Coordinates of all heavy atoms in Angstrom, one line a residue:
M1 N 14.1 15.7 -6.6 CA 14.3 14.3 -7.0 C 12.9 13.6 -6.8 O 12.2 13.7 -5.8 CB 15.2 13.7 -6.1 CG 15.7 12.3 -6.6 SD 16.8 12.4 -8.0 CE 18.0 11.2 -7.4
V2 N 12.5 13.0 -7.9 CA 11.2 12.3 -7.8 C 11.5 10.8 -8.2 O 12.5 10.6 -8.8 CB 10.1 12.8 -8.7 CG1 9.6 14.2 -8.1 CG2 10.5 13.1 -10.1
R3 N 10.5 9.9 -8.0 CA 10.7 8.6 -8.4 C 9.9 8.2 -9.6 O 8.8 8.5 -9.7 CB 10.3 7.7 -7.2 CG 11.0 6.3 -7.2 CD 10.8 5.7 -5.8 NE 11.8 6.2 -4.9 CZ 13.0 5.7 -4.8 NH1 13.5 4.8 -5.6 NH2 13.8 6.3 -3.9
D4 N 10.6 7.6 -10.5 CA 10.1 6.9 -11.7 C 9.2 5.7 -11.1 O 9.8 4.8 -10.5 CB 11.2 6.4 -12.6 CG 10.8 5.6 -13.8 OD1 9.8 4.9 -13.7 OD2 11.4 5.7 -14.8
I5 N 7.9 5.7 -11.2 CA 7.2 4.7 -10.5 C 7.2 3.4 -11.2 O 6.7 2.3 -10.7 CB 5.7 5.0 -10.2 CG1 4.9 5.4 -11.4 CG2 5.7 6.2 -9.2 CD1 3.4 5.6 -11.1
V6 N 7.7 3.3 -12.4 CA 7.8 2.0 -13.2 C 9.0 1.3 -12.7 O 9.0 0.1 -12.2 CB 7.8 2.3 -14.7 CG1 8.1 0.9 -15.4 CG2 6.4 2.9 -15.1
C7 N 10.3 1.9 -12.8 CA 11.5 1.2 -12.5 C 12.0 1.5 -11.1 O 12.9 0.8 -10.6 CB 12.5 1.5 -13.5 SG 13.1 3.2 -13.5
G8 N 11.4 2.6 -10.5 CA 11.8 2.9 -9.1 C 13.1 3.8 -9.1 O 13.5 4.1 -8.0
M9 N 13.6 4.2 -10.2 CA 14.8 5.0 -10.2 C 14.4 6.5 -9.8 O 13.4 6.9 -10.1 CB 15.3 5.0 -11.7 CG 16.8 5.0 -11.8 SD 17.3 4.9 -13.5 CE 17.4 6.6 -13.9
G10 N 15.4 7.2 -9.2 CA 15.2 8.5 -8.9 C 15.5 9.4 -10.2 O 16.5 9.2 -10.9
V11 N 14.6 10.3 -10.5 CA 14.8 11.2 -11.6 C 14.6 12.7 -11.2 O 13.9 13.0 -10.4 CB 13.8 10.8 -12.9 CG1 14.2 9.5 -13.5 CG2 12.4 10.9 -12.4
E12 N 15.3 13.6 -12.0 CA 15.2 14.9 -11.7 C 14.0 15.5 -12.5 O 13.9 15.4 -13.7 CB 16.5 15.7 -12.2 CG 17.8 15.3 -11.3 CD 17.6 15.7 -9.9 OE1 16.8 16.6 -9.5 OE2 18.3 15.1 -9.1
E13 N 13.1 16.3 -11.7 CA 12.0 16.8 -12.3 C 12.3 17.8 -13.5 O 11.6 17.9 -14.5 CB 11.1 17.6 -11.3 CG 10.5 16.7 -10.3 CD 10.5 17.5 -9.0 OE1 11.4 17.4 -8.2 OE2 9.5 18.1 -8.6
D14 N 13.4 18.6 -13.3 CA 13.7 19.6 -14.3 C 14.7 19.2 -15.2 O 15.2 20.0 -16.0 CB 14.0 20.9 -13.6 CG 15.1 20.7 -12.5 OD1 15.7 19.6 -12.4 OD2 15.4 21.7 -11.8
D15 N 15.1 18.0 -15.2 CA 16.1 17.5 -16.2 C 15.4 17.3 -17.6 O 14.3 16.7 -17.7 CB 16.6 16.1 -15.8 CG 17.8 15.6 -16.6 OD1 17.7 15.8 -17.8 OD2 18.6 15.0 -16.1
P16 N 15.9 17.9 -18.7 CA 15.2 17.9 -19.9 C 15.1 16.4 -20.5 O 14.3 16.2 -21.4 CB 16.1 18.8 -20.8 CG 17.4 19.1 -20.1 CD 17.1 18.8 -18.7
S17 N 16.0 15.5 -20.0 CA 15.9 14.1 -20.5 C 14.8 13.3 -19.8 O 14.6 12.2 -20.1 CB 17.3 13.5 -20.4 OG 17.6 13.3 -19.0
T18 N 14.2 13.9 -18.7 CA 13.2 13.2 -18.0 C 11.9 13.2 -18.7 O 11.5 14.2 -19.3 CB 13.0 13.9 -16.6 OG1 14.2 13.8 -15.9 CG2 11.9 13.2 -15.8
F19 N 11.3 12.1 -18.8 CA 9.9 12.0 -19.5 C 8.8 12.3 -18.5 O 8.9 11.9 -17.4 CB 9.8 10.6 -20.1 CG 10.5 10.4 -21.3 CD1 11.9 10.2 -21.2 CD2 10.0 10.3 -22.5 CE1 12.7 10.0 -22.4 CE2 10.6 10.2 -23.7 CZ 12.0 10.0 -23.6
V20 N 7.9 13.1 -18.9 CA 6.9 13.7 -18.0 C 5.5 13.3 -18.6 O 5.3 13.4 -19.8 CB 6.9 15.2 -17.9 CG1 5.9 15.7 -16.9 CG2 8.3 15.6 -17.3
K21 N 4.6 12.8 -17.7 CA 3.3 12.5 -18.1 C 2.3 13.0 -17.1 O 2.5 12.7 -15.9 CB 3.2 11.0 -18.3 CG 1.8 10.5 -18.7 CD 1.4 10.7 -20.1 CE 0.0 10.4 -20.4 NZ -0.6 11.3 -21.5
S22 N 1.3 13.7 -17.5 CA 0.2 14.2 -16.6 C -1.0 13.3 -16.7 O -1.4 12.9 -17.8 CB -0.2 15.6 -16.9 OG 0.9 16.5 -16.5
L23 N -1.5 12.9 -15.5 CA -2.6 12.0 -15.5 C -3.6 12.3 -14.3 O -3.1 12.4 -13.2 CB -2.2 10.6 -15.4 CG -3.3 9.5 -15.6 CD1 -3.5 9.3 -17.1 CD2 -2.9 8.2 -15.0
E24 N -4.8 12.7 -14.6 CA -5.7 13.0 -13.6 C -5.3 14.1 -12.6 O -5.4 13.9 -11.4 CB -6.2 11.8 -12.8 CG -7.1 10.9 -13.7 CD -7.4 9.5 -13.2 OE1 -7.0 9.2 -12.0 OE2 -8.0 8.7 -13.8
G25 N -4.6 15.1 -13.1 CA -4.2 16.1 -12.4 C -2.8 15.9 -11.6 O -2.3 16.8 -10.9
K26 N -2.3 14.7 -11.8 CA -1.0 14.4 -11.2 C 0.1 14.3 -12.2 O -0.2 13.9 -13.4 CB -1.0 13.1 -10.4 CG -1.5 13.3 -9.0 CD -1.1 12.1 -8.1 CE 0.4 12.2 -7.7 NZ 0.8 11.3 -6.7
T27 N 1.3 14.6 -11.9 CA 2.4 14.5 -12.9 C 3.3 13.4 -12.5 O 3.7 13.2 -11.3 CB 3.2 15.9 -12.9 OG1 2.3 17.0 -13.0 CG2 4.2 15.9 -14.0
Y28 N 3.7 12.6 -13.5 CA 4.5 11.5 -13.3 C 5.8 11.6 -14.1 O 5.7 12.1 -15.2 CB 3.8 10.2 -13.6 CG 2.6 9.9 -12.8 CD1 1.3 10.4 -13.2 CD2 2.7 9.3 -11.5 CE1 0.3 10.2 -12.4 CE2 1.6 9.1 -10.7 CZ 0.3 9.6 -11.2 OH -0.8 9.4 -10.4
Y29 N 6.9 11.2 -13.5 CA 8.2 11.3 -14.2 C 8.8 10.0 -14.5 O 8.7 9.0 -13.7 CB 9.1 12.1 -13.3 CG 8.5 13.5 -13.0 CD1 7.7 13.7 -11.9 CD2 8.8 14.6 -13.8 CE1 7.2 15.0 -11.6 CE2 8.3 15.8 -13.5 CZ 7.5 16.0 -12.5 OH 7.0 17.3 -12.2
F30 N 9.5 9.9 -15.6 CA 10.1 8.6 -16.0 C 11.5 8.9 -16.5 O 11.8 9.9 -17.1 CB 9.2 8.0 -17.1 CG 7.8 7.8 -16.7 CD1 6.8 8.8 -17.1 CD2 7.4 6.7 -15.9 CE1 5.6 8.7 -16.5 CE2 6.1 6.6 -15.5 CZ 5.1 7.6 -15.8
C31 N 12.3 7.8 -16.3 CA 13.7 8.0 -16.7 C 13.9 7.8 -18.2 O 14.8 8.2 -18.9 CB 14.5 6.9 -16.0 SG 14.1 5.2 -16.5
S32 N 12.9 7.2 -18.9 CA 12.9 6.9 -20.3 C 11.6 6.6 -20.9 O 10.6 6.3 -20.1 CB 13.9 5.7 -20.6 OG 13.3 4.5 -20.0
D33 N 11.4 6.5 -22.1 CA 10.2 6.2 -22.8 C 9.8 4.7 -22.5 O 8.7 4.3 -22.6 CB 10.0 6.6 -24.2 CG 11.1 6.0 -25.1 OD1 12.0 5.3 -24.5 OD2 11.1 6.1 -26.3
Q34 N 10.9 3.9 -22.2 CA 10.7 2.5 -21.9 C 9.9 2.3 -20.6 O 9.2 1.4 -20.5 CB 12.1 1.9 -21.7 CG 13.0 1.8 -23.0 CD 12.4 1.0 -24.1 OE1 11.9 -0.1 -23.8 NE2 12.4 1.6 -25.2
C35 N 10.0 3.3 -19.8 CA 9.2 3.3 -18.6 C 7.8 4.0 -18.8 O 6.9 3.6 -18.2 CB 10.0 4.0 -17.4 SG 11.3 2.9 -16.8
M36 N 7.9 5.1 -19.5 CA 6.6 5.9 -19.7 C 5.6 5.0 -20.5 O 4.4 5.1 -20.2 CB 6.9 7.2 -20.4 CG 5.7 8.1 -20.4 SD 6.1 9.8 -21.0 CE 6.2 9.5 -22.7
L37 N 6.0 4.3 -21.5 CA 5.0 3.6 -22.3 C 4.2 2.5 -21.6 O 3.0 2.5 -21.7 CB 5.7 3.1 -23.6 CG 6.2 4.1 -24.6 CD1 7.0 3.5 -25.7 CD2 5.0 4.8 -25.2
P38 N 4.9 1.7 -20.8 CA 4.0 0.7 -20.1 C 3.1 1.4 -19.1 O 2.0 0.9 -18.8 CB 5.0 -0.2 -19.4 CG 6.3 0.5 -19.6 CD 6.3 1.4 -20.7
F39 N 3.6 2.5 -18.6 CA 2.8 3.3 -17.6 C 1.5 3.8 -18.3 O 0.3 3.7 -17.8 CB 3.5 4.4 -17.0 CG 2.7 5.3 -16.1 CD1 2.3 5.0 -14.9 CD2 2.2 6.6 -16.7 CE1 1.5 5.8 -14.1 CE2 1.4 7.4 -15.9 CZ 1.1 7.1 -14.6
M40 N 1.7 4.4 -19.5 CA 0.6 4.9 -20.2 C -0.4 3.9 -20.7 O -1.6 4.1 -20.8 CB 1.1 5.7 -21.5 CG 1.7 7.1 -21.2 SD 2.6 7.7 -22.5 CE 1.3 8.1 -23.6
R41 N 0.1 2.6 -20.9 CA -0.8 1.6 -21.3 C -1.6 1.0 -20.1 O -2.8 0.7 -20.4 CB 0.1 0.4 -21.8 CG -0.4 -0.1 -23.2 CD 0.6 -1.1 -23.8 NE 1.9 -0.5 -24.2 CZ 3.1 -1.1 -24.0 NH1 3.2 -2.2 -23.3 NH2 4.1 -0.4 -24.4
A42 N -1.1 1.0 -19.0 CA -1.8 0.5 -17.8 C -1.4 1.3 -16.5 O -0.7 0.7 -15.6 CB -1.5 -1.0 -17.6
P43 N -1.8 2.6 -16.5 CA -1.4 3.4 -15.3 C -1.9 2.8 -14.0 O -1.1 2.9 -13.0 CB -2.0 4.7 -15.6 CG -3.0 4.5 -16.7 CD -2.6 3.3 -17.4
D44 N -2.9 2.1 -13.9 CA -3.4 1.6 -12.6 C -2.5 0.5 -12.1 O -2.5 0.3 -10.9 CB -4.8 1.1 -12.8 CG -5.8 2.2 -13.0 OD1 -5.5 3.3 -12.8 OD2 -7.0 1.8 -13.5
D45 N -1.8 -0.1 -13.0 CA -0.8 -1.2 -12.4 C 0.3 -0.5 -11.6 O 0.9 -1.1 -10.8 CB -0.2 -1.9 -13.6 CG -1.2 -2.8 -14.3 OD1 -2.4 -2.9 -13.8 OD2 -0.9 -3.5 -15.2
Y46 N 0.6 0.8 -11.9 CA 1.7 1.4 -11.3 C 1.3 2.4 -10.2 O 2.0 2.6 -9.2 CB 2.5 2.2 -12.4 CG 3.1 1.2 -13.4 CD1 2.4 1.1 -14.6 CD2 4.1 0.4 -13.1 CE1 2.9 0.3 -15.6 CE2 4.6 -0.5 -14.0 CZ 4.0 -0.6 -15.3 OH 4.5 -1.5 -16.2
I47 N 0.1 3.0 -10.3 CA -0.4 3.8 -9.3 C -0.9 3.1 -8.2 O -2.0 2.5 -8.3 CB -1.4 4.9 -9.8 CG1 -0.8 5.6 -11.0 CG2 -1.9 5.8 -8.7 CD1 -1.9 6.4 -11.8
K48 N -0.2 3.1 -7.1 CA -0.7 2.3 -5.9 C -1.8 3.1 -5.2 O -1.7 4.3 -5.1 CB 0.5 2.1 -4.9 CG 1.7 1.4 -5.5 CD 1.5 -0.1 -5.4 CE 2.7 -0.9 -5.9 NZ 2.9 -0.7 -7.3
T49 N -2.8 2.4 -4.9 CA -4.0 3.1 -4.3 C -3.7 3.3 -2.9 O -4.2 2.7 -1.9 CB -5.3 2.2 -4.5 OG1 -4.9 0.9 -4.1 CG2 -5.7 2.2 -5.9
K50 N -2.8 4.3 -2.7 CA -2.4 4.7 -1.3 C -3.4 5.9 -0.9 O -4.0 6.5 -1.7 CB -1.0 5.1 -1.3 CG 0.0 4.0 -1.1 CD 1.2 4.4 -0.5 CE 2.2 3.2 -0.2 NZ 3.2 3.1 -1.2
G51 N -3.4 6.1 0.4 CA -4.2 7.3 0.9 C -5.6 6.9 1.1 O -5.9 5.8 1.7
K52 N -6.6 7.7 0.6 CA -7.9 7.5 1.0 C -8.6 6.3 0.4 O -9.6 5.7 1.0 CB -8.8 8.8 0.6 CG -8.8 9.1 -0.8 CD -9.7 10.4 -0.9 CE -10.1 10.7 -2.3 NZ -9.1 11.1 -3.3
E53 N -8.1 5.7 -0.7 CA -8.7 4.5 -1.2 C -8.3 3.3 -0.5 O -9.0 2.3 -0.6 CB -8.4 4.3 -2.7 CG -9.2 5.3 -3.6 CD -8.6 5.6 -4.9 OE1 -8.1 4.7 -5.6 OE2 -8.5 6.8 -5.2
T54 N -7.3 3.3 0.2 CA -6.8 2.1 1.0 C -7.2 2.4 2.4 O -6.7 3.3 3.0 CB -5.3 1.9 0.8 OG1 -5.0 1.9 -0.6 CG2 -4.8 0.6 1.5
E55 N -7.9 1.5 3.0 CA -8.3 1.5 4.4 C -7.2 0.9 5.2 O -6.9 -0.3 5.0 CB -9.6 0.8 4.6 CG -10.8 1.6 4.1 CD -11.1 2.9 4.9 OE1 -11.0 2.9 6.1 OE2 -11.2 4.0 4.2
M56 N -6.6 1.6 6.1 CA -5.6 1.1 6.9 C -6.2 0.7 8.3 O -6.9 1.5 8.8 CB -4.4 1.9 7.1 CG -3.6 2.2 5.9 SD -3.0 0.8 5.0 CE -1.5 0.4 6.0
V57 N -6.0 -0.5 8.8 CA -6.6 -0.8 10.0 C -5.4 -1.2 11.0 O -4.3 -1.5 10.5 CB -7.6 -2.0 9.9 CG1 -8.8 -1.5 9.3 CG2 -7.0 -3.2 9.2
K58 N -5.7 -1.1 12.3 CA -4.6 -1.3 13.2 C -4.6 -2.8 13.7 O -5.7 -3.3 14.1 CB -4.8 -0.3 14.4 CG -3.4 0.1 14.9 CD -3.6 1.2 15.9 CE -3.2 2.5 15.6 NZ -2.0 3.1 15.4
D59 N -3.5 -3.3 13.7 CA -3.2 -4.6 14.4 C -3.3 -4.4 15.8 O -2.6 -3.6 16.4 CB -1.8 -5.0 13.9 CG -1.3 -6.4 14.6 OD1 -1.7 -6.6 15.7 OD2 -0.5 -7.0 14.0
L60 N -4.3 -4.9 16.5 CA -4.5 -4.6 17.9 C -3.4 -5.1 18.8 O -3.2 -4.7 19.9 CB -5.8 -5.3 18.4 CG -7.1 -4.9 17.8 CD1 -8.3 -5.6 18.3 CD2 -7.3 -3.3 18.1
V61 N -2.6 -6.1 18.3 CA -1.6 -6.6 19.2 C -0.3 -5.7 19.2 O 0.1 -5.3 20.3 CB -1.2 -8.1 18.8 CG1 0.0 -8.6 19.6 CG2 -2.4 -8.9 19.0
C62 N 0.2 -5.5 18.0 CA 1.5 -4.7 18.0 C 1.3 -3.2 17.6 O 2.1 -2.5 17.7 CB 2.4 -5.4 17.0 SG 2.0 -5.2 15.3
G63 N 0.0 -2.9 17.2 CA -0.3 -1.5 16.8 C 0.1 -1.1 15.4 O -0.1 0.0 15.0
M64 N 0.6 -2.0 14.7 CA 1.1 -1.7 13.3 C -0.1 -1.6 12.4 O -1.2 -2.2 12.6 CB 1.8 -2.9 12.8 CG 3.0 -2.6 11.9 SD 3.9 -4.0 11.5 CE 3.2 -4.4 9.8
E65 N 0.0 -0.7 11.4 CA -1.1 -0.5 10.4 C -1.0 -1.6 9.3 O 0.0 -2.0 8.8 CB -0.9 0.8 9.8 CG -0.9 1.9 10.7 CD -2.0 3.0 10.5 OE1 -1.9 3.7 9.4 OE2 -2.9 3.1 11.3
V66 N -2.2 -2.2 9.1 CA -2.3 -3.2 8.1 C -3.3 -2.9 7.1 O -4.4 -2.2 7.3 CB -2.8 -4.6 8.9 CG1 -2.9 -5.7 7.9 CG2 -2.0 -4.9 10.1
D67 N -3.0 -3.2 5.8 CA -3.9 -2.9 4.7 C -5.2 -3.7 4.8 O -5.1 -4.9 4.6 CB -3.1 -3.1 3.4 CG -3.9 -2.7 2.2 OD1 -5.2 -2.4 2.3 OD2 -3.4 -2.7 1.1
E68 N -6.3 -3.1 5.0 CA -7.6 -3.9 5.1 C -7.9 -4.7 3.8 O -8.5 -5.7 3.9 CB -8.7 -2.8 5.4 CG -10.0 -3.6 5.8 CD -11.2 -2.6 6.2 OE1 -10.9 -1.4 6.0 OE2 -12.2 -3.1 6.6
N69 N -7.6 -4.1 2.7 CA -7.9 -4.9 1.5 C -7.0 -6.0 1.2 O -7.2 -6.8 0.3 CB -7.9 -3.9 0.3 CG -8.9 -2.7 0.4 OD1 -10.0 -3.0 0.8 ND2 -8.5 -1.5 0.3
N70 N -5.8 -6.0 1.8 CA -4.9 -7.1 1.6 C -4.2 -7.4 2.9 O -3.0 -7.3 3.0 CB -3.8 -6.5 0.5 CG -3.0 -7.6 0.1 OD1 -3.3 -8.8 0.2 ND2 -1.7 -7.3 -0.4
P71 N -5.0 -7.8 3.9 CA -4.3 -8.1 5.2 C -3.5 -9.4 5.2 O -4.0 -10.4 4.6 CB -5.6 -8.2 6.1 CG -6.7 -8.7 5.2 CD -6.4 -8.1 3.9
P72 N -2.4 -9.4 5.9 CA -1.6 -10.5 5.9 C -2.4 -11.7 6.8 O -2.4 -12.8 6.3 CB -0.3 -10.2 6.7 CG -0.3 -8.7 6.6 CD -1.8 -8.2 6.6
F73 N -3.0 -11.3 7.9 CA -3.6 -12.3 8.7 C -4.9 -11.7 9.3 O -4.9 -10.6 9.7 CB -2.7 -12.7 9.9 CG -1.5 -13.6 9.4 CD1 -0.4 -12.9 9.1 CD2 -1.7 -15.0 9.2 CE1 0.7 -13.7 8.6 CE2 -0.6 -15.7 8.7 CZ 0.6 -15.0 8.4
T74 N -6.0 -12.5 9.4 CA -7.2 -12.0 10.0 C -7.7 -13.0 11.0 O -7.4 -14.2 10.9 CB -8.3 -11.9 8.9 OG1 -8.5 -13.1 8.2 CG2 -7.9 -10.8 7.9
S75 N -8.5 -12.6 11.9 CA -9.2 -13.4 12.8 C -10.6 -12.9 13.1 O -10.8 -11.7 13.1 CB -8.3 -13.3 14.1 OG -9.1 -14.2 15.1
V76 N -11.5 -13.8 13.2 CA -12.9 -13.4 13.3 C -13.3 -13.6 14.9 O -13.0 -14.7 15.4 CB -13.8 -14.1 12.4 CG1 -15.3 -13.7 12.7 CG2 -13.5 -13.9 11.0
N77 N -13.8 -12.6 15.5 CA -14.2 -12.7 16.9 C -15.5 -12.1 17.1 O -15.7 -10.9 16.7 CB -13.1 -12.0 17.7 CG -13.4 -12.2 19.2 OD1 -14.3 -11.5 19.8 ND2 -12.7 -13.2 19.8
K78 N -16.5 -12.9 17.5 CA -17.9 -12.4 17.6 C -18.4 -11.7 16.4 O -18.9 -10.6 16.4 CB -18.0 -11.5 18.9 CG -17.8 -12.3 20.2 CD -17.9 -11.4 21.4 CE -17.6 -12.1 22.6 NZ -17.2 -11.4 23.7
G79 N -18.1 -12.2 15.2 CA -18.6 -11.7 14.0 C -17.9 -10.4 13.4 O -18.2 -9.9 12.4
K80 N -16.8 -10.1 14.2 CA -16.0 -8.9 13.7 C -14.7 -9.5 13.1 O -14.2 -10.4 13.7 CB -15.7 -7.9 14.8 CG -16.8 -6.7 14.7 CD -16.2 -5.5 15.4 CE -15.2 -4.7 14.5 NZ -14.8 -3.4 15.0
I81 N -14.2 -8.8 12.1 CA -12.9 -9.3 11.6 C -11.8 -8.4 12.2 O -11.9 -7.2 12.2 CB -12.9 -9.2 10.0 CG1 -14.1 -10.0 9.4 CG2 -11.5 -9.7 9.5 CD1 -14.2 -9.8 8.0
Y82 N -10.7 -9.0 12.6 CA -9.5 -8.3 13.0 C -8.4 -8.7 12.2 O -8.3 -9.8 11.7 CB -9.3 -8.6 14.5 CG -10.5 -8.2 15.5 CD1 -11.5 -9.1 15.7 CD2 -10.6 -6.9 15.8 CE1 -12.6 -8.6 16.4 CE2 -11.6 -6.4 16.6 CZ -12.6 -7.3 16.9 OH -13.7 -6.9 17.6
Y83 N -7.5 -7.7 12.1 CA -6.4 -7.8 11.1 C -5.1 -7.8 11.9 O -4.8 -7.0 12.8 CB -6.5 -6.7 10.1 CG -7.8 -6.6 9.3 CD1 -8.8 -5.9 9.8 CD2 -7.9 -7.2 8.2 CE1 -10.0 -5.8 9.2 CE2 -9.2 -7.2 7.5 CZ -10.2 -6.4 8.0 OH -11.4 -6.4 7.4
F84 N -4.2 -8.6 11.4 CA -2.9 -8.7 12.0 C -1.7 -8.8 11.0 O -1.9 -9.3 9.9 CB -2.9 -10.0 12.9 CG -4.0 -9.9 13.9 CD1 -5.2 -10.5 13.7 CD2 -3.8 -9.2 15.1 CE1 -6.2 -10.5 14.6 CE2 -4.8 -9.1 16.0 CZ -6.0 -9.7 15.7
C85 N -0.6 -8.3 11.5 CA 0.5 -8.2 10.5 C 1.2 -9.6 10.4 O 1.9 -9.9 9.4 CB 1.5 -7.2 11.0 SG 2.4 -7.6 12.5
S86 N 1.0 -10.3 11.4 CA 1.8 -11.6 11.4 C 1.0 -12.7 12.1 O 0.0 -12.4 12.8 CB 3.1 -11.5 12.1 OG 2.9 -11.2 13.5
N87 N 1.4 -13.9 11.9 CA 0.7 -15.0 12.5 C 0.9 -15.0 14.0 O 0.0 -15.4 14.7 CB 1.2 -16.4 11.9 CG 0.3 -17.5 12.1 OD1 -0.9 -17.3 12.2 ND2 0.8 -18.7 12.0
S88 N 2.0 -14.5 14.5 CA 2.2 -14.5 15.9 C 1.3 -13.5 16.7 O 0.8 -13.7 17.7 CB 3.7 -14.3 16.3 OG 4.1 -13.0 15.9
C89 N 1.0 -12.4 15.9 CA 0.1 -11.4 16.5 C -1.3 -12.0 16.4 O -2.1 -11.8 17.4 CB 0.1 -10.1 15.7 SG 1.5 -9.0 15.9
K90 N -1.7 -12.6 15.5 CA -3.0 -13.3 15.3 C -3.2 -14.3 16.4 O -4.2 -14.3 17.1 CB -3.1 -13.9 13.9 CG -4.4 -14.7 13.8 CD -4.4 -15.5 12.5 CE -5.5 -16.6 12.6 NZ -6.0 -17.0 11.2
R91 N -2.2 -15.2 16.7 CA -2.3 -16.2 17.7 C -2.3 -15.6 19.1 O -3.1 -16.0 20.0 CB -1.1 -17.1 17.6 CG -1.3 -18.2 16.5 CD -0.5 -19.5 16.9 NE 0.9 -19.2 17.2 CZ 1.9 -19.2 16.4 NH1 1.8 -19.6 15.2 NH2 3.1 -18.9 16.8
E92 N -1.5 -14.5 19.3 CA -1.6 -13.8 20.6 C -3.0 -13.2 20.8 O -3.5 -13.3 21.9 CB -0.5 -12.7 20.5 CG -0.6 -11.7 21.7 CD -0.3 -12.3 23.1 OE1 0.3 -13.4 23.1 OE2 -0.8 -11.6 24.0
F93 N -3.6 -12.7 19.8 CA -5.0 -12.1 20.0 C -6.0 -13.3 20.3 O -6.8 -13.1 21.2 CB -5.4 -11.4 18.7 CG -6.8 -11.0 18.7 CD1 -7.2 -9.9 19.3 CD2 -7.8 -11.8 17.9 CE1 -8.5 -9.5 19.3 CE2 -9.1 -11.3 17.9 CZ -9.5 -10.3 18.6
E94 N -5.8 -14.3 19.5 CA -6.8 -15.5 19.7 C -6.7 -16.1 21.1 O -7.5 -16.7 21.7 CB -6.7 -16.5 18.6 CG -7.2 -16.0 17.3 CD -7.0 -16.8 16.0 OE1 -6.1 -17.7 16.2 OE2 -7.6 -16.6 15.1
R95 N -5.4 -16.0 21.6 CA -5.2 -16.7 23.0 C -5.9 -15.9 24.0 O -6.4 -16.4 25.0 CB -3.7 -16.7 23.2 CG -3.3 -17.8 24.1 CD -1.8 -17.9 24.3 NE -1.0 -17.9 23.0 CZ 0.1 -17.2 22.7 NH1 0.7 -16.5 23.7 NH2 0.7 -17.4 21.6
N96 N -5.9 -14.6 23.8 CA -6.5 -13.7 24.8 C -7.2 -12.4 24.3 O -6.7 -11.3 24.4 CB -5.4 -13.3 25.8 CG -5.9 -12.6 27.1 OD1 -7.1 -12.5 27.3 ND2 -5.0 -12.1 28.0
P97 N -8.3 -12.7 23.6 CA -8.9 -11.5 22.8 C -9.4 -10.4 23.8 O -9.4 -9.2 23.5 CB -10.1 -12.2 22.1 CG -10.3 -13.5 22.7 CD -8.9 -13.9 23.3
K98 N -9.7 -10.8 25.0 CA -10.3 -9.7 25.9 C -9.2 -8.7 26.3 O -9.6 -7.6 26.6 CB -10.7 -10.5 27.2 CG -12.1 -11.1 27.1 CD -12.8 -11.2 28.5 CE -14.0 -12.2 28.4 NZ -13.6 -13.5 28.8
K99 N -8.0 -9.1 26.3 CA -6.9 -8.2 26.6 C -6.8 -7.1 25.5 O -6.4 -6.0 25.8 CB -5.6 -9.0 26.6 CG -4.4 -8.2 27.0 CD -3.2 -9.2 27.0 CE -1.8 -8.3 27.1 NZ -0.7 -9.2 26.8
Y100 N -7.2 -7.4 24.3 CA -7.0 -6.5 23.2 C -8.4 -5.7 22.8 O -8.4 -4.7 22.2 CB -6.5 -7.2 22.0 CG -5.1 -7.7 22.3 CD1 -5.0 -9.1 22.6 CD2 -4.0 -6.9 22.4 CE1 -3.7 -9.5 22.9 CE2 -2.8 -7.4 22.8 CZ -2.6 -8.7 23.1 OH -1.3 -9.2 23.4
L101 N -9.5 -6.4 23.2 CA -10.8 -5.8 22.9 C -11.3 -5.0 24.1 O -11.5 -5.6 25.1 CB -11.8 -6.8 22.5 CG -11.5 -7.6 21.3 CD1 -12.5 -8.8 21.1 CD2 -11.4 -6.8 20.0
K102 N -11.5 -3.7 23.9 CA -11.9 -2.9 25.1 C -13.4 -2.8 25.1 O -14.0 -2.7 24.1 CB -11.2 -1.6 25.1 CG -9.8 -1.7 25.6 CD -9.1 -0.3 25.6 CE -7.6 -0.6 25.7 NZ -7.0 -0.4 24.4
Ligands
ZN201 ZN1 12.5 4.1 -15.4
ZN202 ZN1 1.4 -7.3 14.5

């Protein structure tokens, strides 16, 4: 079972009715041509830049991983940027940065 990255539906890789498209050495599966066509038109919109292209940074307060390119909350301390998952983590950090900066 694989996921149609356009509609999110689960599709069977070996089902003859599944639409298959290879792109940059990767294979993508679609439930219908209605899903495959928009993907072929703008694959980047559907291929999430997960893995090495996305830098994950750690929220120092709760330890959660936060996407550096799209952080929910940031705080600057002594010229360095810190990333937080929520406003409460950010506030906790700003209240006592020494506790989190080693
Ligand atoms: Zn679909
Ligand atoms: Zn957090």
